[in-house]
C-alpha cells in the first residue's frame, strides 16, 4: 500500500504564487511587515537593487532611499499614506547596494488579514532610469528648439491651432509684425491680411491648401500692427500627430520687401539699358552720312580758311559724338552680359602708343602738354587689345576734359611683379573725397565745376572700370583735392621681357604649323620678339618639308587642319632623324580633360589652348632649357 501526502489546495496556490513572483525580473516585488521591515524578496528586487535576500530580510525598507529622503522621514510618510488610502504611488531617486542611484516608480499597497487587521505592505518597484533619461533628453531637445525658435529674429515663426488661432509667437514675429505675444496669441491669423484679401477668403484658402497638400507657400503684401505693409514670403505647413490627426499649422513668414525693391530696381535698370542700346543704335544712322559729308569736305582741294576750320571743328565734334554713342552701346552690352573679351598675347607698348596717338588731336586742341613714360623693355599682356585701348582712351579723354587749357597730362606704365600698372595723371580740376567715392558710378561726373559738367554722359569711367575688372584688374582714382589734379591708375596681369636678357638667352628654333595664317604668323612673331628663331607652315605637307632641313627645338602644331591633321603631322615629325628629341605641342581650341588625354596618347608633349597665352608660351620655352 502506497501512502501519498496531499497538500491543502491553499498551500499549493500559495507556492505557485510565490514561484510566480520570484520569477519576475523586471519588477522588484517584496513584502513589508506593518513596521516597514522586509519579509520577502524576489529575483527582480535583487536585479534592480543589488541586494540578495539574506542582506535585506528583516531590515527597514528605508535603506533603499537617499539620505535626503530619510532625513525628511519620507519612507515612513509613504507607508502612512498607503495605509490611509490603501495604495500609494510615487516616482523618485532610489539607492542601489553599490551606492548608485536609479529613478524608480514605486507602488505600495496596504495588506489586511481576513479579519480586517493590518498585515503589512506589498511594494513593487520598477527601474525607470532609461525612460527618464529619454524623457529628459526630449525635454531638453524641446527646450533647445523652443529657445532657438524664440531667438530667431529674421523670421516670424508661430503655431496655429486647426482653426487658425495663434498658439505661439516668437521674437521674429514680434519684430516683423509689431504685435507682442500677449496681443497675438489667441487671435485668428487673418489679423495680418488686407481687407480685400479677407474678402476673398485668402487666409482660409491657405489653410485649406496646406491641409490638402501638406504645405502652402505664397508671396504677397501683409499688414503690420501700425498699418504699414511689407512684402512677405509665407509658408504654412500642416502638423499631424502619429495617428495622422491634424494638430494645427506651423507658419513661417519672412520680410522680402528689400528683395522685391532690388528686383524692381533691376527691372528698371534693364529697361534703361535696353533704351540706351536702342538710342545708341538709332543715333548711329544719322552719324554715317555726316561722316561721309566730312570726308567729302576733306577731299575738297584748297578750301578757304573758314571752311577748313569749320571742317576740322565738325570732324572733332563728330569723333567725340561717335565715341559717346559707342560708349552707350557698350554700357548696354556690359549690363546685359553681352560683352565678351577676345584675349590674345599683346605687346602692351604698342597698345599704349596707339591709344595716346589717337587722343593727341583732342589734347592738342586744348593746348595740353602731354608726356608718355613707357617701359624700355617689351611688356606683354594676355588681353583684348581693342578693349584696353578703349580703357586708356577713356582715361585720357577724361583727363583732357577736366584739365584747363595749357595744363599737363601724363601717361605712365610700369611693371611690378606679375602686374602691369598704367596711370593717367593731370594737373586739372581734381576731385573731392565724395567725388572719388562716386566717380565710377553710371552717369556720375562727381562734383566737378558746373562748366566742366556740361560735356559727357558720365559713362566713360564706368565702362573703363568694368573692362579693367573683366581683365582681372583694378581701376582706382586719387586726388589731393580740388584744383590739384587727379590720377587714375589700373593694373592687369602681365610680364616684362628684358631685351638684354633675351639677347643673352640661348636661341631656340620653333616650327609653327597652323592653317590659320594670322594665328600662325602672330605666334611666330611673338617667338621672334622673345629672341628666338621661328618658321611657319600653313599645312602639314609644308611643315614636313621645312622640318627636314630646319631642326626645330619645338613644334607648335594645330590639331584641326584640313588634309593632313595635327595628329598625322606629329607622327611624321617623330619619324625624322631629329624628331625624337623635338618637343611637340598640340595647339587646339579644346581644353577639356578628354581632349588633353587624347593628345597625350597621340604622343604630344604638351597641350596648348587657343589663343595661346603668354605664360603658357613662356612655360614651354623654359621646358626647352
Amino acid at each position: 500500500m502506497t501512502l501519498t501526502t496531499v497538500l491543502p489546495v491553499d498551500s499549493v496556490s500559495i507556492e505557485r504564487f510565490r514561484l510566480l513572483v520570484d520569477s519576475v525580473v523586471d519588477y522588484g516585488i517584496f513584502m513589508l511587515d506593518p513596521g516597514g521591515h522586509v519579509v520577502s524578496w524576489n529575483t527582480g528586487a535583487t536585479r534592480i537593487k543589488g541586494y540578495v535576500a539574506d542582506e535585506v530580510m528583516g531590515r527597514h525598507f528605508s535603506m533603499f532611499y537617499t539620505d535626503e529622503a530619510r532625513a525628511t522621514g519620507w519612507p515612513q510618510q509613504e507607508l502612512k499614506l498607503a495605509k490611509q488610502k490603501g495604495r500609494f504611488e510615487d516616482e523618485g531617486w532610489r539607492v542601489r547596494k553599490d551606492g548608485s542611484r536609479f529613478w524608480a516608480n514605486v507602488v505600495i499597497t496596504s495588506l489586511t488579514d481576513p479579519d480586517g487587521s493590518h498585515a503589512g505592505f506589498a511594494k513593487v518597484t520598477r527601474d525607470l532610469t532609461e525612460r527618464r533619461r529619454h524623457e529628459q533628453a526630449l525635454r531638453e531637445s524641446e527646450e533647445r528648439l523652443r529657445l532657438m525658435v524664440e531667438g530667431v529674429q529674421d523670421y516670424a515663426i508661430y503655431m496655429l491651432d486647426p482653426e487658425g488661432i495663434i498658439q505661439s509667437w516668437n521674437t521674429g514675429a514680434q519684430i516683423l509684425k509689431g504685435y507682442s505675444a500677449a496681443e497675438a496669441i489667441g487671435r485668428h491669423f487673418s489679423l495680418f491680411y488686407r481687407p480685400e484679401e479677407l474678402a476673398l477668403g485668402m487666409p482660409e484658402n491657405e489653410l485649406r491648401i496646406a491641409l490638402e497638400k501638406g504645405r502652402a507657400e505664397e508671396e504677397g503684401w501683409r499688414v503690420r500692427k501700425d498699418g504699414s505693409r511689407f512684402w512677405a514670403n509665407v509658408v504654412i505647413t500642416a502638423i499631424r500627430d502619429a495617428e495622422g490627426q491634424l494638430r494645427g499649422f506651423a507658419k513661417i513668414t519672412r520680410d522680402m520687401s528689400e528683395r522685391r525693391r532690388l528686383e524692381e530696381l533691376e527691372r528698371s535698370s534693364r529697361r534703361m539699358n535696353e533704351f540706351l542700346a536702342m538710342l545708341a543704335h538709332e543715333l548711329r544712322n544719322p552719324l554715317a552720312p555726316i561722316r561721309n559729308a566730312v570726308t567729302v569736305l576733306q577731299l575738297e582741294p584748297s578750301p578757304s580758311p573758314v571752311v577748313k576750320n569749320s571742317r576740322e571743328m565738325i570732324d572733332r565734334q563728330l569723333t567725340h559724338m561717335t565715341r559717346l554713342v559707342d560708349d552707350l552701346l557698350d554700357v548696354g552690352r556690359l549690363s546685359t552680359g553681352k560683352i565678351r573679351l577676345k584675349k590674345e598675347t599683346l605687346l602692351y607698348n604698342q597698345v599704349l602708343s596707339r591709344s595716346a596717338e589717337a587722343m593727341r588731336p583732342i589734347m592738342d586742341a586744348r593746348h595740353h602738354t602731354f608726356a608718355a613714360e613707357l617701359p624700355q623693355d617689351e611688356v606683354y599682356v594676355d588681353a583684348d587689345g581693342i578693349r584696353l585701348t578703349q580703357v586708356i582712351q577713356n582715361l585720357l579723354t577724361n583727363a583732357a576734359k577736366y584739365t584747363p587749357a595749357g595744363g599737363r597730362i601724363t601717361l605712365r606704365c610700369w611693371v611690378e611683379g606679375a602686374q602691369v600698372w598704367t596711370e593717367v595723371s593731370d594737373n586739372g580740376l581734381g576731385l573731392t573725397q565724395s567725388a572719388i567715392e562716386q566717380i565710377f558710378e553710371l552717369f556720375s561726373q562727381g562734383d566737378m565745376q558746373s562748366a566742366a559738367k556740361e560735356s559727357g554722359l558720365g559713362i566713360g569711367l564706368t565702362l573703363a572700370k568694368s573692362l579693367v575688372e573683366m581683365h582681372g584688374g583694378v581701376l582706382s582714382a586719387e586726388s589731393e583735392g580740388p584744383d590739384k589734379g587727379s590720377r587714375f591708375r589700373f593694373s592687369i596681369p602681365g610680364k616684362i621681357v628684358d631685351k638684354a636678357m633675351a639677347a643673352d638667352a640661348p636661341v631656340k628654333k620653333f616650327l609653327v604649323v597652323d592653317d590659320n595664317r594670322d594665328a600662325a604668323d602672330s605666334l611666330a612673331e611673338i617667338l621672334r620678339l622673345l629672341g628666338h628663331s621661328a618658321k611657319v607652315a600653313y599645312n602639314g605637307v609644308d611643315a614636313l618639308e621645312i622640318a627636314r632641313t630646319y631642326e626645330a627645338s619645338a613644334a607648335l602644331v594645330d590639331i584641326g587642319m584640313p588634309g593632313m591633321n595635327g595628329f598625322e603631322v606629329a607622327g611624321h615629325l617623330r619619324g625624322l632623324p631629329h624628331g625624337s628629341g623635338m618637343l611637340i605641342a598640340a595647339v587646339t581650341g579644346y581644353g577639356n580633360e578628354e581632349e588633353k588625354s587624347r593628345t597625350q596618347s597621340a604622343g604630344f608633349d604638351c597641350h596648348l589652348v587657343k589663343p595661346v597665352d603668354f605664360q603658357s608660351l613662356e612655360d614651354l620655352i623654359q621646358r626647352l632649357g
Side-chain angles (χ1 to χ4, degrees):
M1 180 177 180
T2 302
L3 296 177
T4 302
T5 303
V6 180
L7 294 173
V9 174
D10 286 347
S11 299
V12 173
S13 298
I14 292 172
E15 179 61 17
R16 287 176 178 171
F17 181 73
R18 185 191 65 78
L19 291 173
L20 174 65
V21 170
D22 190 58
S23 66
V24 174
V25 296
D26 292 329
Y27 293 82
I29 304 174
F30 50 100
M31 303 287 291
L32 306 177
D33 66 13
H37 299 90
V38 179
V39 296
S40 72
W41 192 253
N42 81 328
T43 304
T46 297
R47 190 185 70 82
I48 293 173
K49 297 180 180 291
Y51 295 95
V52 297
D54 291 345
E55 294 175 306
V56 297
M57 296 294 285
R59 298 179 66 181
H60 197 270
F61 85 109
S62 60
M63 65 185 292
F64 310 128
Y65 288 71
T66 63
D67 293 339
E68 298 89 346
R70 287 198 299 270
T72 61
W74 181 244
Q76 292 78 8
Q77 183 67 15
E78 286 185 342
L79 297 184
K80 181 180 178 181
L81 293 172
K83 188 174 180 180
Q84 290 175 351
K85 300 179 180 179
R87 182 180 182 278
F88 175 77
E89 184 173 359
D90 182 36
E91 287 192 8
W93 292 109
R94 298 294 184 269
V95 183
R96 295 188 178 93
K97 178 183 177 181
D98 62 7
S100 63
R101 295 187 176 194
F102 67 100
W103 188 261
N105 172 270
V106 177
V107 177
I108 302 175
T109 305
S110 179
L111 303 177
T112 56
D113 287 333
D115 61 2
S117 60
H118 183 240
F121 302 91
K123 187 170 184 183
V124 180
T125 302
R126 186 180 181 189
D127 184 355
L128 297 180
T129 307
E130 189 65 18
R131 189 193 74 179
R132 176 179 169 81
R133 187 179 67 81
H134 284 301
E135 290 175 346
Q136 182 67 20
L138 180 60
R139 283 193 295 271
E140 291 175 355
S141 177
E142 290 174 344
E143 179 63 12
R144 284 195 297 269
L145 179 61
R146 186 191 67 77
L147 292 173
M148 182 186 72
V149 171
E150 176 62 28
V152 172
Q153 298 187 6
D154 294 331
Y155 294 81
I157 305 174
Y158 51 99
M159 296 293 296
L160 309 176
D161 70 8
E163 285 70 45
I165 304 301
I166 300 169
Q167 301 295 307
S168 68
W169 195 250
N170 80 327
T171 303
Q174 182 168 337
I175 294 173
L176 181 59
K177 297 180 179 290
Y179 294 90
S180 67
E183 292 173 311
I185 293 176
R187 301 178 68 178
H188 197 271
F189 82 108
S190 58
L191 171 71
F192 313 124
Y193 291 73
R194 296 180 298 167
E196 55 268 34
E197 293 170 336
L198 295 175
L200 294 172
M202 186 177 290
E204 293 78 9
N205 188 53
E206 287 182 348
L207 294 187
R208 180 184 58 79
I209 294 173
L211 195 58
E212 292 175 355
K213 299 183 178 180
R215 182 178 184 274
E217 180 175 3
E218 68 104 17
E219 289 194 4
W221 292 109
R222 294 294 182 270
V223 184
R224 295 187 178 92
K225 179 183 177 181
D226 61 7
S228 62
R229 299 192 308 168
F230 66 99
W231 187 260
N233 172 270
V234 179
V235 177
I236 302 178
T237 305
I239 306 297
R240 298 181 182 275
D241 59 20
E243 286 73 37
Q245 294 297 313
L246 180 68
R247 309 299 297 177
F249 300 89
K251 188 169 184 185
I252 301 176
T253 303
R254 186 181 182 188
D255 185 355
M256 307 298 287
S257 304
E258 182 63 17
R259 190 197 71 178
R260 180 178 172 84
R261 186 184 70 83
L262 292 175
E263 288 175 348
E264 290 176 347
L265 285 174
E266 185 178 347
R267 283 193 293 270
S268 299
S269 176
R270 186 165 56 250
R271 288 193 294 269
M272 174 63 76
N273 291 330
E274 291 170 354
F275 168 74
L276 290 176
M278 181 185 68
L279 175 64
H281 184 269
E282 292 300 317
L283 286 174
R284 276 191 165 182
N285 289 328
L287 286 177
I290 296 174
R291 169 55 65 191
N292 293 337
V294 170
T295 302
V296 170
L297 291 174
Q298 289 173 334
L299 295 174
E300 184 70 20
S302 305
S304 69
V306 174
V307 172
K308 182 178 180 180
N309 290 337
S310 299
R311 182 189 67 190
E312 291 174 353
M313 178 190 68
I314 294 173
D315 185 49
R316 286 195 302 272
Q317 295 303 317
L318 182 60
T319 300
H320 179 61
M321 189 172 182
T322 302
R323 287 184 55 80
L324 291 177
V325 171
D326 288 341
D327 283 352
L328 273 175
L329 276 171
D330 282 336
V331 165
R333 293 191 190 108
L334 192 66
S335 343
T336 54
K338 292 182 179 178
I339 284 188
R340 295 289 183 269
L341 298 182
K342 296 179 181 179
K343 289 187 176 182
E344 57 182 331
T345 302
L346 302 170
L347 182 59
Y348 191 50
N349 309 61
Q350 294 178 352
V351 175
L352 292 165
S353 299
R354 285 197 298 264
S355 300
E357 192 62 31
M359 298 310 299
R360 272 194 177 276
I362 294 177
M363 293 184 284
D364 290 345
R366 294 172 179 258
H367 306 289
H368 291 144
T369 300
F370 175 70
E373 301 174 11
L374 307 183
Q376 293 299 312
D377 294 306
E378 293 171 344
V379 177
Y380 287 90
V381 294
D382 187 32
D384 185 322
I386 294 175
R387 295 303 181 184
L388 277 188
T389 299
Q390 191 174 4
V391 170
I392 298 166
Q393 288 182 353
N394 277 348
L395 295 181
L396 289 172
T397 298
N398 185 76
K401 185 188 304 181
Y402 296 112
T403 301
R408 184 180 67 255
I409 298 173
T410 303
L411 171 65
R412 294 179 58 228
C413 175
W414 69 96
V415 178
E416 290 183 6
Q419 295 292 311
V420 177
W421 288 88
T422 305
E423 180 185 87
V424 174
S425 60
D426 61 67
N427 63 346
L429 298 181
L431 297 165
T432 64
Q433 185 57 42
S434 62
I436 292 174
E437 293 172 358
Q438 61 176 319
I439 195 73
F440 295 111
E441 295 176 6
L442 190 61
F443 305 126
S444 171
Q445 294 175 309
D447 51 6
M448 309 292 190
Q449 294 178 10
S450 58
K453 279 187 174 181
E454 293 175 1
S455 60
L457 298 175
I459 61 178
L461 292 179
T462 305
L463 185 60
K465 183 175 186 293
S466 298
L467 291 174
V468 167
E469 290 173 351
M470 289 177 70
H471 279 86
V474 178
L475 172 61
S476 62
E478 298 176 2
S479 177
E480 295 176 3
D483 299 320
K484 294 185 178 180
S486 59
R487 293 178 301 279
F488 288 84
R489 178 183 300 172
F490 70 89
S491 67
I492 57 173
K495 183 163 289 191
I496 194 167
V497 176
D498 190 315
K499 290 181 179 178
M501 291 179 62
D504 294 339
V507 176
K508 304 297 180 185
K509 298 168 71 176
F510 289 88
L511 174 60
V512 179
V513 188
D514 198 326
D515 63 307
N516 185 321
R517 289 176 175 264
D518 289 339
D521 292 342
S522 59
L523 184 56
E525 185 60 29
I526 291 173
L527 291 168
R528 295 186 190 109
L529 288 171
L530 293 173
H532 302 289
S533 170
K535 289 194 175 184
V536 177
Y538 305 120
N539 58 65
V541 175
D542 290 348
L544 296 177
E545 184 64 31
I546 293 172
R548 289 188 180 93
T549 56
Y550 180 72
E551 297 186 3
S553 309
L556 284 73
V557 183
D558 177 37
I559 295 298
M561 294 185 295
M564 186 184 297
N565 64 34
F567 292 103
E568 295 172 307
V569 171
H572 288 299
L573 288 175
R574 287 290 187 218
L576 295 174
H578 57 278
S580 59
M582 184 188 303
L583 187 151
I584 304 179
V587 181
T588 173
Y590 298 98
N592 56 54
E593 292 303 319
E594 182 180 351
E595 190 67 20
K596 289 180 180 179
S597 177
R598 184 181 174 212
T599 55
Q600 184 179 12
S601 301
F604 285 94
D605 296 299
C606 58
H607 186 107
L608 302 179
V609 180
K610 290 183 176 181
V612 180
D613 61 81
F614 185 77
Q615 185 60 54
S616 298
L617 199 59
E618 189 175 66
D619 291 343
L620 183 145
I621 294 170
Q622 288 181 352
R623 285 185 60 174
L624 296 174

